[in-house]
Amino acid sequence: MKKNLVLVGMMGSGKSTIGKVISRKSGLKFIDTDELIEIQEKMKIREIFKNKGEDFFRQIEEKIILKVMKLDGHVIAVGGGAFINPKVRKEINKNGISFWLNWKEDVLIKRIRYNKKRPKVTDLTLQELRKLIVSRSKIYIKADFKINCDKLDKFQITKNILEFYEK
Ligand code: S3P
């Protein structure tokens, strides 16, 4: 059985977009765990954060990812905070091949600042956001592969990932 191909990285790094292209090119089925959380909770992520808090969201996130990681051969995009949880990370690295979609800090900041859909960052100052990116990068680096995306389009990123995955 083929391991899952798991995309990790900051919000705005294109995990869902790239995941869908990988799925089209490879035939592997695509799963977006944030979407599963929204379906299960019948609420948008933003509402879950607002009504139930981040800790609650993280519990649901952990449960759903541990369940999904029991599958084989899927392309799985997980939320930006998921890989920071050691239990989730362990499971991803056990039954998956993980890819960190890495971008320059300024590119990420441009994409995610002022985005109302992203409750984790809406109240952060620029400095706090930079700090979050730097501290998370120290964990994302634990993924099996780091893909430097800055100079690539989504098809080149997909090609690079599939080459490593299919080896
Ligand atoms: C989060 C990232 C989001 C979503 C939630 C929290 C984070 O997913 O899970 O808003 O803590 O980085 P995306 O990375 O898909 O935006």
Side-chain angles (χ1 to χ4, degrees):
M1 270 294 171
K2 254 320 212 175
K3 285 189 169 188
N4 293 311
L5 189 166
V6 186
L7 300 174
V8 306
M10 269 308 278
M11 293 160 256
S13 60
K15 292 164 295 199
S16 302
T17 308
I18 303 293
K20 284 177 194 154
V21 181
I22 294 176
S23 169
R24 265 198 307 254
K25 296 266 176 204
S26 64
L28 301 173
K29 287 205 181 94
F30 174 67
I31 294 177
D32 181 328
T33 58
D34 276 344
E35 232 173 79
L36 294 186
I37 295 171
E38 291 187 335
I39 293 170
Q40 180 182 300
E41 294 303 308
K42 301 188 185 67
M43 258 189 272
K44 292 282 168 201
I45 304 275
R46 163 173 43 84
E47 292 164 329
I48 303 176
F49 266 70
K50 192 166 137 244
N51 302 338
K52 305 208 161 178
E54 179 171 352
D55 286 351
F56 175 84
F57 171 78
R58 296 300 171 196
Q59 283 171 28
I60 305 287
E61 179 179 59
E62 178 181 304
K63 270 196 207 137
I64 288 202
I65 297 177
L66 296 189
K67 205 152 122 196
V68 158
M69 286 308 298
K70 300 212 182 319
L71 299 168
D72 300 288
H74 282 66
V75 186
I76 302 171
V78 299
F83 204 62
I84 309 306
N85 174 340
K87 213 163 152 189
V88 169
R89 193 163 66 240
K90 193 169 155 221
E91 200 61 23
I92 289 179
N93 283 342
K94 200 176 90 199
N95 195 28
I97 302 179
S98 53
F99 294 86
W100 170 26
L101 302 183
N102 179 46
W103 297 85
K104 286 212 182 79
E105 203 177 294
D106 290 338
V107 176
L108 292 172
I109 287 172
K110 255 192 218 130
R111 290 191 193 154
I112 61 188
R113 244 193 138 193
Y114 310 119
N115 186 324
K116 291 201 179 56
K117 280 195 217 141
R118 300 197 150 105
K120 180 77 187 163
V121 296
T122 32
D123 295 331
L124 298 188
T125 62
L126 184 57
Q127 205 189 4
E128 286 167 333
L129 181 52
R130 282 193 193 281
K131 247 174 101 177
L132 182 72
I133 296 175
V134 170
S135 68
R136 282 193 172 178
S137 299
K138 292 182 187 146
I139 311 264
Y140 294 144
I141 193 93
K142 297 183 182 185
D144 295 314
F145 295 98
K146 173 187 179 189
I147 307 291
N148 290 324
C149 299
D150 290 295
K151 298 197 175 90
L152 307 175
D153 67 28
K154 61 182 177 184
F155 300 106
Q156 291 167 318
I157 297 172
T158 295
K159 191 165 168 277
N160 286 355
I161 291 177
L162 283 175
E163 268 170 22
F164 287 123
Y165 178 72
E166 278 157 5
K167 253 188 202 155

